[in-house]
Amino acid sequence: MSSTQHTPLPYYEDRSPGAGTLPPRPWTPSSDAARLSLNGTWSFRLSPTATAEDDAFARPGYDARGWDEIPVPGHWVLHGHGAPIYTNVRYPFPVDPPHVPAENPTGDHLRVFDLPGDWPDGGDAVLRFEGVESCARVWLNGEELGTFKGSRLPHEFPVGGLLEPSGNVLAVRVHQWSSGSYLEDQDQWWLPGIFREVTLEHRPEGSLADYFVHASYDHTTGEGTLRIDSDPGGRITVPELGLDLATGESATVPVEPWTAETPRLYEAWLTTVGESVSLRVGFRTVVVEDGLLKVNGRRVLFRGVNRHEFHPENGRAVDLATMRRDLVLMKRHNINAVRTSHYPPHPAFLGLCDELGLWVIDECDLETHGFGVLDWRNNPVDDDRWTPALLDRAERMVERDKNHPAVVMWSLGNECGTGRGLSAMADWIRERDPSRVIHYEGDHSCADTDVYSRMYAPHEEVDLIGRRTEPPWSDPELDAKRRALPFIQCEYAHAMGNGPGGLSEYQRLFEAHERCQGGFVWEWIDHGFTRRAPDGRFYHVYGGDFGEELHDGNFVCDGLVFPDRTPSPGLIEYKKVIEPVRIEGAEADGAGAADGAVRITNGHDFADLSHLAFTWTYEAEGEAIGSGELAVPPLPPGESVELKLPAPPPGAEAGAETWWTVEARLAAATAWAEAGHTVAWAQLPATAPGAGARALASGEAPRREGDRIVLGPGVFDAATGALTSLGGLHVTEPPRLDIWRAPTDNDNGASWQPDERWGVIWRRLGLHRVRHRTDAVETTPDGVLTVRTRVAPAAVDIGLETVYRWTADAAGRLSLAVSVTPLGEWPCPLPRLGLRLGVPAALGDAEWFGGGPGEAYPDTRTAARVGRWALPVDELQTPYVRPQENGARIDVRWARLTAPDGSGVRIEGDPAFWFTARRWTTEQLDAAEHTPDLDPSNDTVWLNLDHGQHGIGSQSCGPGVLAEHRLNATSAEFSFTFSRLT
C-alpha cells in the first residue's frame, strides 16, 4: 500500500495572512512616543525565483557592497529591475490557487541603521510596514520576525528586545507573487516592492495598544456625544469643548457637526501613563433610515470619484503633497466623495479627507475578479480555507481607519462574486463598528450590505431603481430588502479617453429620485507612466508598452485627470454637472432670463449659501459690457429664490447676441481654494442667438478661365469644382464632406458590451476610407457654382449624395451651402458630418465666438460657455494618452485663423457649428498609439467645420450614447461663409 506525502506549502503560497505580526491598531500621525523613519536608500538584489537565494543576507556582517540601491518607498520594477504589468481582470499567471509560478521575481531589501542618540531607554518598539506588495518575510539583526500578506495594509512586529544602539540590520524579502495575489486582482499595474513607509516606533510602558473614537451627533438637539475607549485607559481632553474625561466615559455637549461641506474638527488629546496622542474629532451620525442613507439626519448626494493611488513616476508610492493636490483638485471641481478603489489608501489620505471634507467609502484590499472569467470556480471568497485571510484584511482596514469621521462606509472589496467569506467579513465589521454602513457591489441581492450598489447601470435602469420598480430578485425576502435600500452607483461614467458622456442625464436622475444618492465616476487618474521620446518630448505609456505577456492596453488610462494631474475636459464637465448651486432662468422653462429674472437653488446637503458671493456679467457678442453683484440670501439647503437682474447696461450694438452670466464664487478663502473661486455658473440668453451666415447672392456670375473657375475671391479647379484659393490664400486641402473621426475609446467600446459598438461598426463599413466622386460641376448665370458628388465607402451600397453650392458677394465673401442626402440603408449613426479643409500652417492662431474654452461634444457640452475665445492651434488639442478624436469647440458662430501678421481666414456658419483645428490629419490621429506619433505638419492646418458630431457616451465600460445624442444619417443642410483677412 502506497502513501502520498504532502509537502507543506511555502509561506508565500499558503492561504494564511502571515505569521508573527501584532494585532492591528489605529494609525496615529501625532504621538509623543519616539519614531524613526527607515525610508531612504536601501540595498537591493533581485532574484528570478522565490528560492534562488538563501537567507544569509539577513545576518549581521553580510557583505552587500555589490548590490544595487533602491528607494524605499518604491517599486523595483520602476528602478531598472523588471517591468510593470497591467491587467484589468485576467491574472498574469496560471490560475491554480493558492500556487504561484516558479518564475516569481523576489527582491531582497537591506537597510542598516543606528538608533538616534535620544532614543528612549526601556519600553518596547515595533517595526511598522504601511504597504508591501505582495508578500514579505522580515528579519532584524538575524532574527526572523515573521511574514505577511495584504499589500495595502499595515503590519507590525515587536522588536524591542532585538535593537542595538548602532548597526541594526533590517532585511526584507519581498515576493512579487503569492497566494495573496489571488486576492489583489484590482485593475491596476502589478508593482512589487515596499511602496509605503517603514517606521520604527517606540512603545513606552503604558502606551496605547488601541483606541476607538465614538463621536455621534444628534441633529434634533444639536448636541454631540463623545466617548473614547482605549487600551490601556487614560484621559481625554477637548479644550474647545471644555471636556476632561476618563476613557470609556461619555459626555454630551453642543457641537458643530462634521460633514463633507462643513468639515468641523475638534482638537483632542488622549493621554495614558506612557503616551499622549493628538486626535481630530468630528461629530457625525450615519444611518440608513426610511430607505435613505442619512448623515446627521439629512439625505446626502454623493458627487464622487473612484481613486487608485498612482504617480506617473513612482507608481503607488504617493507622497503627502500629491495626496493633498488630488484632494484640492477634487474640492475645486465640486467632488464631495471618494471611493478608495480597491483597497485602503495611504492612511494620511484619510486624514486629509477629514480636514478638507470628503465622504469616503473605505474599500478593503480585496478583489478576485479573474475568477469571474472562470465562472467563479475556486473563488477564494467562497472557500472557507481563505476566510482567515479575508477577515485579517477586514480587521486591518477597520482597526487602522476607524477613527476618521470622513469614512462613512466600509466596503468589503470589489468584484469578488459572492461567497461565505464576504458574509463573515460583513458580520465581523458590523459587530466591531455598527456606526457605519456596509457596502459591496458584487452581490445584487444585497444580502450582506446596507446599500444597493451597482456599476454602470444605464440611465433607464437607474430611473427604474429610483422609482423602486427595478426587476425583482429571485428571493422575495432579499428582493424586499433590496427595494428598501438607498441606491448608489459605485462606478459609472467611465472616464477613458474622450469622455465620459451622459453625465448630465445621470445627475438629473440622481436629483429627481430621492433613493438615487449619486455615484462615483470611474476614475480619478490615468495610470500612464512617464517616458521620454527620442526627440525629448515626454509622453505616457500604458499596458503593452513594457512587453507584457498579457495586458489590457490603455484601459488603465481612464481618469478625469491626466497622469501629470492636469484636469481633462471630462473633469471640467463633471464639475459643471455636479454644481451644488443651480442657476436658471426664472421663466417657466428655465431657459433664459429675457424677463430679467433668475432662479437660484441651493443644492448643498448641509451648507447654506452664506459662503458664496454672486455676480452677474452682461455680454454682447462675447464681450463684457457690464458686471455687478447679485444679492442672494443665505438660502438653506434645498431652497430656491427668484431674483430680478438689473436692467441691461448700455453699449450693445443693435441686433447683437447678448447673454447674462451669473456666477457663484467663494466669498472667502478655504483650505482648498482662494476667495473668488467659481463654484457654479450659468449663462442665460438675454436676446435670442443671432442667425449665422447664409448663402449670399452673387455679385457676378462664375467665370471659367482655362482649367479653373473664378467666383468672387474663390478660385476652383474646373474639372472637380474644388476650391484651391481664397483671395490669394492657398487652400492646401479643398473643402469637402467629412464623416470620419479617429474613434474614441468610448466609440470602440468594450468587447463585453451588449450594445452596438459604433467605432467597430464604422471601421467595418469602411467609413475611414470613403471615396469622393464628382458627378457634375455646373455654373449658372445667377451666380452659383454647383458641384454634385457622391461620397461612399468601398464594398457597400450606401453613400451620401452631397451638393455644394458656392456663391460670392461684392464684399469679397465666399459662401458655401451644402446639402447631404443619405443613399441606401445606413445601419449606424455617422461619426461626424461636416467639411474638412486645409489652410497654410502659418495660420496658427485661432479665435472664435461660441462654446469654450475647452472641447465639447453633444453629450459633454454642459461646461461650454458662450464667449469669445482665443488659443494657438497647438493648444486646441487635448493630449489623451492614446490619441483619438478631440478638440472640437461647440456652437461656434464664427472662427478665424490668423498668421502672426494678422492675415488669415474668417469662417461664419449657419447654423452654429463645431470647429476643430489641428496640425495633423484625422487619419494620422487615428493611426497614432501615443502622442509622439503625431508629427505636426510644416505645411497645413486641417480644419473640421462640422454640422453634427456623434455623442461620446461611456461605452469603454459603461452605457453607450443616448439616442438623443446620436448623429443619425438623415438629410441635412448647412452653410459657411469664408472671408479673407489681410
Side-chain angles (χ1 to χ4, degrees), residues 211-215 226-229 236 270 279-282 402-404 433 435-436:
Y211 60 93
F212 199 162
V213 177
H214 305 276
L226 177 65
R227 186 185 88 246
I228 299 181
D229 301 324
I236 303 295
L270 167 57
L279 308 176
R280 297 190 299 180
V281 176
K402 63 194 176 192
N403 297 318
H404 290 282
D433 180 24
S435 71
R436 290 179 173 94

mmCIF file with all atom_site columns, all heavy atoms in Angstrom, residues 211-215 226-229 236 270 279-282 402-404 433 435-436:
data_model
loop_
_atom_site.group_PDB
_atom_site.id
_atom_site.type_symbol
_atom_site.label_atom_id
_atom_site.label_alt_id
_atom_site.label_comp_id
_atom_site.label_asym_id
_atom_site.label_entity_id
_atom_site.label_seq_id
_atom_site.pdbx_PDB_ins_code
_atom_site.Cartn_x
_atom_site.Cartn_y
_atom_site.Cartn_z
_atom_site.occupancy
_atom_site.B_iso_or_equiv
_atom_site.pdbx_formal_charge
_atom_site.auth_seq_id
_atom_site.auth_comp_id
_atom_site.auth_asym_id
_atom_site.auth_atom_id
_atom_site.pdbx_PDB_model_num
ATOM 1   N N   . TYR A 1 211 ? -7.274  52.428 20.466 1.00 0.00 ? 211 TYR A N   1
ATOM 2   C CA  . TYR A 1 211 ? -8.270  53.409 20.917 1.00 0.00 ? 211 TYR A CA  1
ATOM 3   C C   . TYR A 1 211 ? -9.318  53.558 19.826 1.00 0.00 ? 211 TYR A C   1
ATOM 4   O O   . TYR A 1 211 ? -9.046  53.347 18.645 1.00 0.00 ? 211 TYR A O   1
ATOM 5   C CB  . TYR A 1 211 ? -7.633  54.757 21.269 1.00 0.00 ? 211 TYR A CB  1
ATOM 6   C CG  . TYR A 1 211 ? -6.900  55.431 20.140 1.00 0.00 ? 211 TYR A CG  1
ATOM 7   C CD1 . TYR A 1 211 ? -7.536  56.361 19.317 1.00 0.00 ? 211 TYR A CD1 1
ATOM 8   C CD2 . TYR A 1 211 ? -5.557  55.156 19.906 1.00 0.00 ? 211 TYR A CD2 1
ATOM 9   C CE1 . TYR A 1 211 ? -6.863  56.984 18.281 1.00 0.00 ? 211 TYR A CE1 1
ATOM 10  C CE2 . TYR A 1 211 ? -4.873  55.766 18.873 1.00 0.00 ? 211 TYR A CE2 1
ATOM 11  C CZ  . TYR A 1 211 ? -5.532  56.688 18.069 1.00 0.00 ? 211 TYR A CZ  1
ATOM 12  O OH  . TYR A 1 211 ? -4.873  57.295 17.039 1.00 0.00 ? 211 TYR A OH  1
ATOM 13  N N   . PHE A 1 212 ? -10.528 53.889 20.230 1.00 0.00 ? 212 PHE A N   1
ATOM 14  C CA  . PHE A 1 212 ? -11.667 53.965 19.315 1.00 0.00 ? 212 PHE A CA  1
ATOM 15  C C   . PHE A 1 212 ? -12.471 55.204 19.680 1.00 0.00 ? 212 PHE A C   1
ATOM 16  O O   . PHE A 1 212 ? -12.993 55.321 20.779 1.00 0.00 ? 212 PHE A O   1
ATOM 17  C CB  . PHE A 1 212 ? -12.529 52.699 19.454 1.00 0.00 ? 212 PHE A CB  1
ATOM 18  C CG  . PHE A 1 212 ? -13.460 52.447 18.287 1.00 0.00 ? 212 PHE A CG  1
ATOM 19  C CD1 . PHE A 1 212 ? -14.007 51.177 18.113 1.00 0.00 ? 212 PHE A CD1 1
ATOM 20  C CD2 . PHE A 1 212 ? -13.815 53.447 17.388 1.00 0.00 ? 212 PHE A CD2 1
ATOM 21  C CE1 . PHE A 1 212 ? -14.869 50.907 17.059 1.00 0.00 ? 212 PHE A CE1 1
ATOM 22  C CE2 . PHE A 1 212 ? -14.673 53.191 16.330 1.00 0.00 ? 212 PHE A CE2 1
ATOM 23  C CZ  . PHE A 1 212 ? -15.201 51.922 16.161 1.00 0.00 ? 212 PHE A CZ  1
ATOM 24  N N   . VAL A 1 213 ? -12.529 56.135 18.733 1.00 0.00 ? 213 VAL A N   1
ATOM 25  C CA  . VAL A 1 213 ? -13.257 57.391 18.938 1.00 0.00 ? 213 VAL A CA  1
ATOM 26  C C   . VAL A 1 213 ? -14.703 57.201 18.503 1.00 0.00 ? 213 VAL A C   1
ATOM 27  O O   . VAL A 1 213 ? -14.973 56.865 17.347 1.00 0.00 ? 213 VAL A O   1
ATOM 28  C CB  . VAL A 1 213 ? -12.617 58.533 18.139 1.00 0.00 ? 213 VAL A CB  1
ATOM 29  C CG1 . VAL A 1 213 ? -13.428 59.821 18.302 1.00 0.00 ? 213 VAL A CG1 1
ATOM 30  C CG2 . VAL A 1 213 ? -11.171 58.743 18.567 1.00 0.00 ? 213 VAL A CG2 1
ATOM 31  N N   . HIS A 1 214 ? -15.631 57.409 19.424 1.00 0.00 ? 214 HIS A N   1
ATOM 32  C CA  . HIS A 1 214 ? -17.066 57.385 19.123 1.00 0.00 ? 214 HIS A CA  1
ATOM 33  C C   . HIS A 1 214 ? -17.583 58.811 19.313 1.00 0.00 ? 214 HIS A C   1
ATOM 34  O O   . HIS A 1 214 ? -17.615 59.319 20.437 1.00 0.00 ? 214 HIS A O   1
ATOM 35  C CB  . HIS A 1 214 ? -17.806 56.440 20.063 1.00 0.00 ? 214 HIS A CB  1
ATOM 36  C CG  . HIS A 1 214 ? -17.254 55.044 20.085 1.00 0.00 ? 214 HIS A CG  1
ATOM 37  N ND1 . HIS A 1 214 ? -17.596 54.074 19.179 1.00 0.00 ? 214 HIS A ND1 1
ATOM 38  C CD2 . HIS A 1 214 ? -16.342 54.464 20.923 1.00 0.00 ? 214 HIS A CD2 1
ATOM 39  C CE1 . HIS A 1 214 ? -16.951 52.957 19.443 1.00 0.00 ? 214 HIS A CE1 1
ATOM 40  N NE2 . HIS A 1 214 ? -16.173 53.161 20.491 1.00 0.00 ? 214 HIS A NE2 1
ATOM 41  N N   . ALA A 1 215 ? -17.959 59.450 18.208 1.00 0.00 ? 215 ALA A N   1
ATOM 42  C CA  . ALA A 1 215 ? -18.391 60.856 18.276 1.00 0.00 ? 215 ALA A CA  1
ATOM 43  C C   . ALA A 1 215 ? -19.648 61.012 17.430 1.00 0.00 ? 215 ALA A C   1
ATOM 44  O O   . ALA A 1 215 ? -19.574 61.266 16.227 1.00 0.00 ? 215 ALA A O   1
ATOM 45  C CB  . ALA A 1 215 ? -17.286 61.781 17.792 1.00 0.00 ? 215 ALA A CB  1
ATOM 46  N N   . LEU A 1 226 ? -19.483 62.265 22.956 1.00 0.00 ? 226 LEU A N   1
ATOM 47  C CA  . LEU A 1 226 ? -18.127 61.763 22.764 1.00 0.00 ? 226 LEU A CA  1
ATOM 48  C C   . LEU A 1 226 ? -17.818 60.689 23.794 1.00 0.00 ? 226 LEU A C   1
ATOM 49  O O   . LEU A 1 226 ? -18.056 60.873 24.992 1.00 0.00 ? 226 LEU A O   1
ATOM 50  C CB  . LEU A 1 226 ? -17.117 62.910 22.896 1.00 0.00 ? 226 LEU A CB  1
ATOM 51  C CG  . LEU A 1 226 ? -15.636 62.506 22.789 1.00 0.00 ? 226 LEU A CG  1
ATOM 52  C CD1 . LEU A 1 226 ? -15.328 61.979 21.395 1.00 0.00 ? 226 LEU A CD1 1
ATOM 53  C CD2 . LEU A 1 226 ? -14.736 63.684 23.141 1.00 0.00 ? 226 LEU A CD2 1
ATOM 54  N N   . ARG A 1 227 ? -17.287 59.572 23.292 1.00 0.00 ? 227 ARG A N   1
ATOM 55  C CA  . ARG A 1 227 ? -16.718 58.539 24.142 1.00 0.00 ? 227 ARG A CA  1
ATOM 56  C C   . ARG A 1 227 ? -15.519 57.954 23.416 1.00 0.00 ? 227 ARG A C   1
ATOM 57  O O   . ARG A 1 227 ? -15.620 57.622 22.233 1.00 0.00 ? 227 ARG A O   1
ATOM 58  C CB  . ARG A 1 227 ? -17.729 57.425 24.438 1.00 0.00 ? 227 ARG A CB  1
ATOM 59  C CG  . ARG A 1 227 ? -17.196 56.394 25.453 1.00 0.00 ? 227 ARG A CG  1
ATOM 60  C CD  . ARG A 1 227 ? -18.121 55.211 25.669 1.00 0.00 ? 227 ARG A CD  1
ATOM 61  N NE  . ARG A 1 227 ? -17.857 54.150 24.701 1.00 0.00 ? 227 ARG A NE  1
ATOM 62  C CZ  . ARG A 1 227 ? -18.693 53.755 23.771 1.00 0.00 ? 227 ARG A CZ  1
ATOM 63  N NH1 . ARG A 1 227 ? -19.864 54.346 23.627 1.00 0.00 ? 227 ARG A NH1 1
ATOM 64  N NH2 . ARG A 1 227 ? -18.358 52.768 22.926 1.00 0.00 ? 227 ARG A NH2 1
ATOM 65  N N   . ILE A 1 228 ? -14.414 57.845 24.109 1.00 0.00 ? 228 ILE A N   1
ATOM 66  C CA  . ILE A 1 228 ? -13.233 57.238 23.507 1.00 0.00 ? 228 ILE A CA  1
ATOM 67  C C   . ILE A 1 228 ? -12.801 56.075 24.387 1.00 0.00 ? 228 ILE A C   1
ATOM 68  O O   . ILE A 1 228 ? -12.513 56.260 25.577 1.00 0.00 ? 228 ILE A O   1
ATOM 69  C CB  . ILE A 1 228 ? -12.084 58.255 23.350 1.00 0.00 ? 228 ILE A CB  1
ATOM 70  C CG1 . ILE A 1 228 ? -12.519 59.413 22.430 1.00 0.00 ? 228 ILE A CG1 1
ATOM 71  C CG2 . ILE A 1 228 ? -10.839 57.573 22.795 1.00 0.00 ? 228 ILE A CG2 1
ATOM 72  C CD1 . ILE A 1 228 ? -11.459 60.447 22.191 1.00 0.00 ? 228 ILE A CD1 1
ATOM 73  N N   . ASP A 1 229 ? -12.824 54.901 23.802 1.00 0.00 ? 229 ASP A N   1
ATOM 74  C CA  . ASP A 1 229 ? -12.355 53.707 24.500 1.00 0.00 ? 229 ASP A CA  1
ATOM 75  C C   . ASP A 1 229 ? -10.881 53.511 24.170 1.00 0.00 ? 229 ASP A C   1
ATOM 76  O O   . ASP A 1 229 ? -10.460 53.739 23.024 1.00 0.00 ? 229 ASP A O   1
ATOM 77  C CB  . ASP A 1 229 ? -13.148 52.483 24.050 1.00 0.00 ? 229 ASP A CB  1
ATOM 78  C CG  . ASP A 1 229 ? -14.643 52.632 24.307 1.00 0.00 ? 229 ASP A CG  1
ATOM 79  O OD1 . ASP A 1 229 ? -15.004 53.235 25.331 1.00 0.00 ? 229 ASP A OD1 1
ATOM 80  O OD2 . ASP A 1 229 ? -15.436 52.157 23.469 1.00 0.00 ? 229 ASP A OD2 1
ATOM 81  N N   . ILE A 1 236 ? -9.128  61.975 28.351 1.00 0.00 ? 236 ILE A N   1
ATOM 82  C CA  . ILE A 1 236 ? -9.398  62.724 27.133 1.00 0.00 ? 236 ILE A CA  1
ATOM 83  C C   . ILE A 1 236 ? -9.638  64.171 27.500 1.00 0.00 ? 236 ILE A C   1
ATOM 84  O O   . ILE A 1 236 ? -10.417 64.476 28.410 1.00 0.00 ? 236 ILE A O   1
ATOM 85  C CB  . ILE A 1 236 ? -10.674 62.194 26.427 1.00 0.00 ? 236 ILE A CB  1
ATOM 86  C CG1 . ILE A 1 236 ? -10.546 60.707 26.127 1.00 0.00 ? 236 ILE A CG1 1
ATOM 87  C CG2 . ILE A 1 236 ? -10.954 63.000 25.167 1.00 0.00 ? 236 ILE A CG2 1
ATOM 88  C CD1 . ILE A 1 236 ? -9.467  60.391 25.149 1.00 0.00 ? 236 ILE A CD1 1
ATOM 89  N N   . LEU A 1 270 ? -5.506  62.424 23.888 1.00 0.00 ? 270 LEU A N   1
ATOM 90  C CA  . LEU A 1 270 ? -5.695  61.182 24.631 1.00 0.00 ? 270 LEU A CA  1
ATOM 91  C C   . LEU A 1 270 ? -4.370  60.853 25.308 1.00 0.00 ? 270 LEU A C   1
ATOM 92  O O   . LEU A 1 270 ? -3.346  60.707 24.640 1.00 0.00 ? 270 LEU A O   1
ATOM 93  C CB  . LEU A 1 270 ? -6.118  60.058 23.672 1.00 0.00 ? 270 LEU A CB  1
ATOM 94  C CG  . LEU A 1 270 ? -6.067  58.619 24.198 1.00 0.00 ? 270 LEU A CG  1
ATOM 95  C CD1 . LEU A 1 270 ? -6.920  58.438 25.444 1.00 0.00 ? 270 LEU A CD1 1
ATOM 96  C CD2 . LEU A 1 270 ? -6.503  57.645 23.101 1.00 0.00 ? 270 LEU A CD2 1
ATOM 97  N N   . LEU A 1 279 ? -5.615  63.994 18.610 1.00 0.00 ? 279 LEU A N   1
ATOM 98  C CA  . LEU A 1 279 ? -6.697  63.492 17.764 1.00 0.00 ? 279 LEU A CA  1
ATOM 99  C C   . LEU A 1 279 ? -7.478  64.653 17.180 1.00 0.00 ? 279 LEU A C   1
ATOM 100 O O   . LEU A 1 279 ? -7.504  65.757 17.741 1.00 0.00 ? 279 LEU A O   1
ATOM 101 C CB  . LEU A 1 279 ? -7.668  62.625 18.586 1.00 0.00 ? 279 LEU A CB  1
ATOM 102 C CG  . LEU A 1 279 ? -7.073  61.484 19.408 1.00 0.00 ? 279 LEU A CG  1
ATOM 103 C CD1 . LEU A 1 279 ? -8.165  60.810 20.221 1.00 0.00 ? 279 LEU A CD1 1
ATOM 104 C CD2 . LEU A 1 279 ? -6.394  60.480 18.504 1.00 0.00 ? 279 LEU A CD2 1
ATOM 105 N N   . ARG A 1 280 ? -8.136  64.396 16.053 1.00 0.00 ? 280 ARG A N   1
ATOM 106 C CA  . ARG A 1 280 ? -9.065  65.366 15.471 1.00 0.00 ? 280 ARG A CA  1
ATOM 107 C C   . ARG A 1 280 ? -10.429 64.697 15.407 1.00 0.00 ? 280 ARG A C   1
ATOM 108 O O   . ARG A 1 280 ? -10.626 63.728 14.661 1.00 0.00 ? 280 ARG A O   1
ATOM 109 C CB  . ARG A 1 280 ? -8.600  65.814 14.092 1.00 0.00 ? 280 ARG A CB  1
ATOM 110 C CG  . ARG A 1 280 ? -7.262  66.548 14.131 1.00 0.00 ? 280 ARG A CG  1
ATOM 111 C CD  . ARG A 1 280 ? -6.912  67.210 12.818 1.00 0.00 ? 280 ARG A CD  1
ATOM 112 N NE  . ARG A 1 280 ? -6.790  66.254 11.742 1.00 0.00 ? 280 ARG A NE  1
ATOM 113 C CZ  . ARG A 1 280 ? -6.485  66.584 10.488 1.00 0.00 ? 280 ARG A CZ  1
ATOM 114 N NH1 . ARG A 1 280 ? -6.284  67.851 10.179 1.00 0.00 ? 280 ARG A NH1 1
ATOM 115 N NH2 . ARG A 1 280 ? -6.375  65.661 9.547  1.00 0.00 ? 280 ARG A NH2 1
ATOM 116 N N   . VAL A 1 281 ? -11.339 65.211 16.198 1.00 0.00 ? 281 VAL A N   1
ATOM 117 C CA  . VAL A 1 281 ? -12.648 64.584 16.387 1.00 0.00 ? 281 VAL A CA  1
ATOM 118 C C   . VAL A 1 281 ? -13.692 65.302 15.550 1.00 0.00 ? 281 VAL A C   1
ATOM 119 O O   . VAL A 1 281 ? -13.811 66.530 15.604 1.00 0.00 ? 281 VAL A O   1
ATOM 120 C CB  . VAL A 1 281 ? -13.055 64.600 17.874 1.00 0.00 ? 281 VAL A CB  1
ATOM 121 C CG1 . VAL A 1 281 ? -14.456 64.028 18.056 1.00 0.00 ? 281 VAL A CG1 1
ATOM 122 C CG2 . VAL A 1 281 ? -12.038 63.818 18.702 1.00 0.00 ? 281 VAL A CG2 1
ATOM 123 N N   . GLY A 1 282 ? -14.452 64.539 14.781 1.00 0.00 ? 282 GLY A N   1
ATOM 124 C CA  . GLY A 1 282 ? -15.576 65.074 14.039 1.00 0.00 ? 282 GLY A CA  1
ATOM 125 C C   . GLY A 1 282 ? -16.853 64.372 14.464 1.00 0.00 ? 282 GLY A C   1
ATOM 126 O O   . GLY A 1 282 ? -16.925 63.141 14.457 1.00 0.00 ? 282 GLY A O   1
ATOM 127 N N   . LYS A 1 402 ? -10.687 53.401 11.704 1.00 0.00 ? 402 LYS A N   1
ATOM 128 C CA  . LYS A 1 402 ? -11.985 53.561 12.362 1.00 0.00 ? 402 LYS A CA  1
ATOM 129 C C   . LYS A 1 402 ? -12.197 54.924 12.996 1.00 0.00 ? 402 LYS A C   1
ATOM 130 O O   . LYS A 1 402 ? -13.343 55.290 13.304 1.00 0.00 ? 402 LYS A O   1
ATOM 131 C CB  . LYS A 1 402 ? -12.135 52.473 13.431 1.00 0.00 ? 402 LYS A CB  1
ATOM 132 C CG  . LYS A 1 402 ? -11.098 52.579 14.550 1.00 0.00 ? 402 LYS A CG  1
ATOM 133 C CD  . LYS A 1 402 ? -11.053 51.321 15.391 1.00 0.00 ? 402 LYS A CD  1
ATOM 134 C CE  . LYS A 1 402 ? -9.942  51.423 16.439 1.00 0.00 ? 402 LYS A CE  1
ATOM 135 N NZ  . LYS A 1 402 ? -9.677  50.134 17.094 1.00 0.00 ? 402 LYS A NZ  1
ATOM 136 N N   . ASN A 1 403 ? -11.146 55.714 13.178 1.00 0.00 ? 403 ASN A N   1
ATOM 137 C CA  . ASN A 1 403 ? -11.292 56.988 13.882 1.00 0.00 ? 403 ASN A CA  1
ATOM 138 C C   . ASN A 1 403 ? -11.424 58.194 12.954 1.00 0.00 ? 403 ASN A C   1
ATOM 139 O O   . ASN A 1 403 ? -11.327 59.335 13.404 1.00 0.00 ? 403 ASN A O   1
ATOM 140 C CB  . ASN A 1 403 ? -10.109 57.179 14.829 1.00 0.00 ? 403 ASN A CB  1
ATOM 141 C CG  . ASN A 1 403 ? -10.076 56.115 15.915 1.00 0.00 ? 403 ASN A CG  1
ATOM 142 O OD1 . ASN A 1 403 ? -11.111 55.760 16.470 1.00 0.00 ? 403 ASN A OD1 1
ATOM 143 N ND2 . ASN A 1 403 ? -8.900  55.578 16.200 1.00 0.00 ? 403 ASN A ND2 1
ATOM 144 N N   . HIS A 1 404 ? -11.664 57.933 11.673 1.00 0.00 ? 404 HIS A N   1
ATOM 145 C CA  . HIS A 1 404 ? -11.796 59.023 10.711 1.00 0.00 ? 404 HIS A CA  1
ATOM 146 C C   . HIS A 1 404 ? -13.270 59.350 10.471 1.00 0.00 ? 404 HIS A C   1
ATOM 147 O O   . HIS A 1 404 ? -14.028 58.513 9.971  1.00 0.00 ? 404 HIS A O   1
ATOM 148 C CB  . HIS A 1 404 ? -11.152 58.640 9.377  1.00 0.00 ? 404 HIS A CB  1
ATOM 149 C CG  . HIS A 1 404 ? -9.666  58.552 9.430  1.00 0.00 ? 404 HIS A CG  1
ATOM 150 N ND1 . HIS A 1 404 ? -8.855  59.672 9.415  1.00 0.00 ? 404 HIS A ND1 1
ATOM 151 C CD2 . HIS A 1 404 ? -8.830  57.479 9.518  1.00 0.00 ? 404 HIS A CD2 1
ATOM 152 C CE1 . HIS A 1 404 ? -7.585  59.290 9.481  1.00 0.00 ? 404 HIS A CE1 1
ATOM 153 N NE2 . HIS A 1 404 ? -7.547  57.970 9.542  1.00 0.00 ? 404 HIS A NE2 1
ATOM 154 N N   . ASP A 1 433 ? -18.056 47.649 14.373 1.00 0.00 ? 433 ASP A N   1
ATOM 155 C CA  . ASP A 1 433 ? -18.353 49.071 14.164 1.00 0.00 ? 433 ASP A CA  1
ATOM 156 C C   . ASP A 1 433 ? -19.751 49.229 13.565 1.00 0.00 ? 433 ASP A C   1
ATOM 157 O O   . ASP A 1 433 ? -19.908 49.392 12.360 1.00 0.00 ? 433 ASP A O   1
ATOM 158 C CB  . ASP A 1 433 ? -17.309 49.699 13.235 1.00 0.00 ? 433 ASP A CB  1
ATOM 159 C CG  . ASP A 1 433 ? -17.597 51.181 12.993 1.00 0.00 ? 433 ASP A CG  1
ATOM 160 O OD1 . ASP A 1 433 ? -18.258 51.811 13.842 1.00 0.00 ? 433 ASP A OD1 1
ATOM 161 O OD2 . ASP A 1 433 ? -17.168 51.703 11.940 1.00 0.00 ? 433 ASP A OD2 1
ATOM 162 N N   . SER A 1 435 ? -21.527 51.724 13.665 1.00 0.00 ? 435 SER A N   1
ATOM 163 C CA  . SER A 1 435 ? -21.819 53.134 13.407 1.00 0.00 ? 435 SER A CA  1
ATOM 164 C C   . SER A 1 435 ? -21.683 53.520 11.940 1.00 0.00 ? 435 SER A C   1
ATOM 165 O O   . SER A 1 435 ? -21.933 54.670 11.590 1.00 0.00 ? 435 SER A O   1
ATOM 166 C CB  . SER A 1 435 ? -20.880 54.015 14.242 1.00 0.00 ? 435 SER A CB  1
ATOM 167 O OG  . SER A 1 435 ? -19.545 53.964 13.749 1.00 0.00 ? 435 SER A OG  1
ATOM 168 N N   . ARG A 1 436 ? -21.273 52.579 11.103 1.00 0.00 ? 436 ARG A N   1
ATOM 169 C CA  . ARG A 1 436 ? -21.106 52.886 9.684  1.00 0.00 ? 436 ARG A CA  1
ATOM 170 C C   . ARG A 1 436 ? -21.901 51.898 8.839  1.00 0.00 ? 436 ARG A C   1
ATOM 171 O O   . ARG A 1 436 ? -22.334 50.843 9.302  1.00 0.00 ? 436 ARG A O   1
ATOM 172 C CB  . ARG A 1 436 ? -19.631 52.862 9.282  1.00 0.00 ? 436 ARG A CB  1
ATOM 173 C CG  . ARG A 1 436 ? -18.799 54.017 9.862  1.00 0.00 ? 436 ARG A CG  1
ATOM 174 C CD  . ARG A 1 436 ? -17.363 53.900 9.423  1.00 0.00 ? 436 ARG A CD  1
ATOM 175 N NE  . ARG A 1 436 ? -16.553 55.044 9.806  1.00 0.00 ? 436 ARG A NE  1
ATOM 176 C CZ  . ARG A 1 436 ? -15.818 55.121 10.920 1.00 0.00 ? 436 ARG A CZ  1
ATOM 177 N NH1 . ARG A 1 436 ? -15.814 54.096 11.776 1.00 0.00 ? 436 ARG A NH1 1
ATOM 178 N NH2 . ARG A 1 436 ? -15.099 56.200 11.179 1.00 0.00 ? 436 ARG A NH2 1
#
